Amino acid sequence: MPAPRLSDKRWSIDLEKRIQEEHFADEAKYSARYGFNPNSGKEIFVIDTPPPYPSGTWHIGAVAQYSMIDVIARSQRLIGKEVKFPWGVDRNGINVEFTVEKNTGRKMKTYDRAEFLELCAETIEEFTQSMRDTARRVGLSMDYANEYLTDSPDYRKVTQAIFTELFKQGTIVEDLRPNIYDPVEGTTIADAEVQRLQRMTRLIDVKWQTEDGEELIISTTRPELICACGIVVVHPDDKRYQHLVGKKAMLPLPVDGREVSVEIATHPSVKSEFGSGILMVCSFGDQNDVTVFRELGLAPFQAIDLDGCMTSIAGPFTGMKVKEARDAAIEYLDANGKIDKIVEKEQEVPVSERGKNPVEIILLKEWYVRQTHIQDRISELAEDIEFHPPRNKQFLQDWMDNISIDWPISRRRWYHTEIPVWYADDGAKIIVPPAGIYVQPWCQDPPAGSEVLDRETREILGNFDKLKDSLGEIIGEEKVFDTWMDSSNSNLFVSGYLNDMDTFEKAFPTAIRPQGKEIVRTWLYYTLLKSALLLDKPGFKHVWIDGLGMDPWGRKMSKSLGNGIDADSVLECGAGGRTGSWRVRGPDKSVQLKANKIGSECFRLWKACDAQVGDDFHINPEEIESKYFGVLTKLFNVARFASQFDAPANLDTTPDNLPVEDRWILAEFANTMEKAENAWRGLDIYNATQALKTFGTGILPSHWLEMAKSRLYDGDQEAAWTVHRIVRDFMAALSPVCPFFTHHISSTLYDSSAVDVREFPERTPSDDELRSLTSAIEEFNGNTWRSKKEQGISLNAPVEGIVIPDELSEFTSILTRMHKLE
RNA sequence: GGGCCCGUGGUCUAGCGGUUAUGACACCUCGCUUACACCGAGUUGAUCGUGGGUUCAAUUCCCACCGGGCCCA
């Protein structure tokens, strides 16, 4: 037997790692292979890769999602597109600030700002490195040489330029409004960042009195806010209290610098069955209070300051933290006989997603992106976007239907992009930098070329360089942007906005936004908002929303459930003879999962085959191995078998004397390749991979290879041509899913790599009549094998009495030879 | 409370109005056959969550319910 050119006996994780190392080692070669050339003349396909946020470990579900984004990138290259697959890292944000605070045991605001930023930059860089490694390990064919970081001047200057443009346009405004505020972290947060937690709270029934002495019971969980009470309301249909409407209620706590009584009015938002059915409305206990104040045109009180302490209107409670003030207020009310009863009750408390601190709603001057006016237009623009799967568009629509307030974008934190403005001494003028320069107003003066604008009307008053001396002392803005303000530019940035407008013209709307469904209301929504405001265009041609990686029982993986599986352990499973084992807490008991070998190729194949886009997927290493490693083994061995026969030089020209069985399998192969190509064009990973897997592990080895074997051993050139043509093209078609596997096989056998194919392989000759015989062939082979089995003879033993059906008469000689029919 | 998704052989999964309801893994039986024993071949195994409805026809469409999950309030 001639030696196979594939020398390894089987596919292994060590082999996989060897190929990977070699693949990434030569940077020039890597860039030539996967880099982006906007001037190639090919159709540009820009992928707005989600820039991961570096935090110790990368969730295996996310790694699986990224591997599918890579499949999209590779399959688009395969069908001839010029793909830009950028590698970006999202590094702005409160998370790294928390990490530094935790590591050093010091709160951010006790640091010098520059010193703190330095610590954040160091910390985030450490985390970033491990993500770069994992990205390569799972085979992501990204443009690492042109890595972008959202905390770099290059990226931040784009965010700042977009801000300035929207400000001039009037869609970004500065205003004093009630804001959701985290007093512990000292920053405003957006609606999308609020979470609700169940907590035990005291519900206090406080005795109030009208000015003429009638007693009212009002239930509240926030008695410290009585000083900010603007009105007392009852439901308009509540018969019990109609006589009170129009009267005044005396505040049951002492206050300072404000009226001691408030009006009693009606409002439809009151729930009559809750407590006594009378509600005090304070600025601001919750979102409903905000609504009532706005609707009734009441002037809000500032009861809580930026440190989370009571302001002077709280009288005796001034300066106390909210929680202390609450205790003191209860004590005071109790001492004065103004408490009817106190009930401990479970209640949902709004907290900040990042810090888990109870949030307050307070009046603050902040920056906002106006968004309520443009919802209809975004919906209209979104009609031109193709969603994969279509149903996941609903997540976006649901969120948009619920938007009622503008997006507050300013934050009182540090490791974020700075808001690029300065204020003139008189407070009436504002200075903005020219586009293309990253500025830090908290420590820098406005750069040359800045403009001076009227703070209210945004009218351009002139060039800063000329007006400089008339502006008095210039104060830099200290606030920064919400991180989504940065990340929602990612598609603009990667498509070349501001940096390469020629490419941008060709590349926008960005070809595809792949992402998880959990950030539709933030990342996707804010990006579409930006595209609509800035360019009045849809941000994308395709939006690809994948499901989430779940534990083997279909539950979300989380630290608290103890059901997490680490990505690296799966990718390294089988390397150097080590096996993988995972202790995972199930719904009933802990389960020990074990696997011997997985690696990136098997992992990717599993994700591609096992879950349709958009479906949540269960991650069970045992299952990944048992269902998919065998597929790789099978395909590897088909190729290894082929590799012992020399490949004819002219694989692109079909010989004209092919026997019927070769024409038959080539027709079947053509059909498989057509399915695969159509699926790749339609971004349908599942069906492309399924078609290839079915052919490559089924009909090809089981039926055709068995027929062709003896011819191959006889040195038959047509059989060699057929098997090599199929193996070569098959590897190209599968290369998006298993790049290293197919690269190894194709470069060993054909001296050219499957991952370099930039045009989907030409179809082999098709023949519907021959294809119609496929089931007959399968049935005949099956029957023959069964018959041998029933006779107790081995499959390669001669057999008598088998009759080939008429429809397969063309195959008589090959079937006779294959089964040794006598 | 609202939205979305999912309940198909032991396990996972395909199906998207008419199929002998895919396929994989596991089980069982047989076979060391010049690619593959980490293999091959052949069996066994499903009232398609429950109850209604639409239809000549329902796993597939509609409604209700039950169960699981995710997101949001």
Side-chain angles (χ1 to χ4, degrees), chain A residues 280-383:
Chain A
M280 67 170 194
V281 185
C282 306
S283 55
F284 296 99
D286 57 30
Q287 281 297 346
N288 188 54
D289 290 349
V290 177
T291 311
V292 175
F293 264 75
R294 194 172 52 217
E295 283 177 15
L296 300 179
L298 301 171
F301 298 98
Q302 184 78 274
I304 299 168
D305 67 17
L306 294 183
D307 299 321
C309 297
M310 304 306 295
T311 62
S312 62
I313 63 165
F317 312 118
T318 303
M320 290 184 185
K321 291 270 182 198
V322 169
K323 216 172 162 306
E324 292 164 21
R326 186 175 313 154
D327 294 339
I330 292 170
E331 206 173 299
Y332 182 96
L333 290 167
D334 196 28
N336 290 278
K338 292 190 176 174
I339 292 188
D340 184 56
K341 64 175 189 297
I342 299 182
V343 198
E344 284 277 333
K345 189 170 162 271
E346 186 156 85
Q347 207 198 19
E348 279 191 338
V349 183
V351 299
S352 58
E353 197 173 36
R354 315 271 190 192
K356 308 282 182 225
N357 309 305
V359 294
E360 297 292 347
I361 300 172
I362 66 178
L363 272 180
L364 288 170
K365 191 151 198 180
E366 299 284 358
W367 290 91
Y368 298 88
V369 173
R370 293 182 53 224
Q371 60 176 350
T372 52
H373 65 294
I374 199 159
Q375 296 303 312
D376 289 344
R377 183 62 186 149
I378 302 177
S379 289
E380 237 172 81
L381 293 170
E383 280 169 23

Side-chain angles (χ1 to χ4, degrees), chain A residues 28 56 188 221 253 257 261 269 348 360 382 392 404 417 484 507 587 600 605 626 632 634 692 764 777 781 789 792:
Chain A
T188 313
T221 57
L253 284 177
S261 65
S269 69
E348 279 191 338
E360 297 292 347
N392 277 3
S404 60
T417 301
W484 293 114
S600 71
L605 182 63
S626 65
L632 289 177
K634 188 78 194 169
L692 292 166
T764 48
I777 293 170
N781 287 338
K789 200 172 143 64

Side-chain angles (χ1 to χ4, degrees), chain A residues 191 287 294 371-372 375 399-406:
Chain A
D191 223 11
Q287 281 297 346
R294 194 172 52 217
Q371 60 176 350
T372 52
Q375 296 303 312
W399 177 245
M400 286 175 46
D401 290 345
N402 283 316
I403 284 173
S404 60
I405 57 173
D406 289 335

Side-chain angles (χ1 to χ4, degrees), chain A residues 191-195 353 395-396 399-400 403 484 515-526:
Chain A
D191 223 11
E193 297 169 88
V194 177
Q195 202 188 14
E353 197 173 36
F395 292 119
L396 177 69
W399 177 245
M400 286 175 46
I403 284 173
W484 293 114
Q515 64 165 74
K517 64 184 186 187
E518 74 281 10
I519 48 176
V520 167
R521 69 200 173 108
T522 48
W523 195 34
L524 179 59
Y525 169 72
Y526 288 141

Side-chain angles (χ1 to χ4, degrees), chain A residues 614-766:
Chain A
D615 290 345
D616 292 342
F617 48 97
H618 303 183
I619 302 176
N620 183 342
E622 282 186 358
E623 225 177 274
I624 296 174
E625 179 186 30
S626 65
K627 290 173 76 165
Y628 295 101
F629 203 87
V631 175
L632 289 177
T633 305
K634 188 78 194 169
L635 296 176
F636 188 84
N637 279 305
V638 169
R640 187 165 183 270
F641 174 66
S643 79
Q644 59 189 302
F645 310 105
D646 288 335
N650 56 341
L651 280 179
D652 293 314
T653 318
T654 311
D656 44 20
N657 55 344
L658 290 175
V660 66
E661 67 271 21
D662 290 1
R663 285 184 281 120
W664 165 68
I665 196 67
L666 288 169
E668 275 297 331
F669 184 56
N671 180 254
T672 298
M673 291 293 272
E674 187 176 339
K675 283 192 210 159
E677 183 176 357
N678 289 339
W680 285 140
R681 290 190 186 280
L683 302 172
D684 180 353
I685 297 172
Y686 181 84
N687 283 303
T689 318
Q690 284 289 340
L692 292 166
K693 186 185 106 178
T694 304
F695 177 84
T697 61
I699 197 163
L700 174 73
S702 306
H703 296 274
W704 183 78
L705 221 47
E706 291 301 325
M707 285 183 200
K709 246 180 193 174
S710 49
R711 287 169 56 214
L712 285 163
Y713 288 127
D714 290 349
D716 181 307
Q717 283 303 294
E718 282 73 40
W721 186 90
T722 305
V723 72
H724 282 296
R725 173 65 190 261
I726 290 174
V727 170
R728 188 194 66 176
D729 290 358
F730 183 92
M731 291 301 151
L734 186 67
S735 67
V737 182
C738 300
F740 302 103
F741 179 87
T742 55
H743 167 80
H744 177 67
I745 290 171
S746 52
S747 40
T748 308
L749 268 62
Y750 311 112
D751 295 320
S752 75
S753 171
V755 302
D756 291 330
V757 176
R758 291 293 177 271
E759 194 179 343
F760 197 83
E762 204 165 311
R763 213 74 81 233
T764 48
S766 189

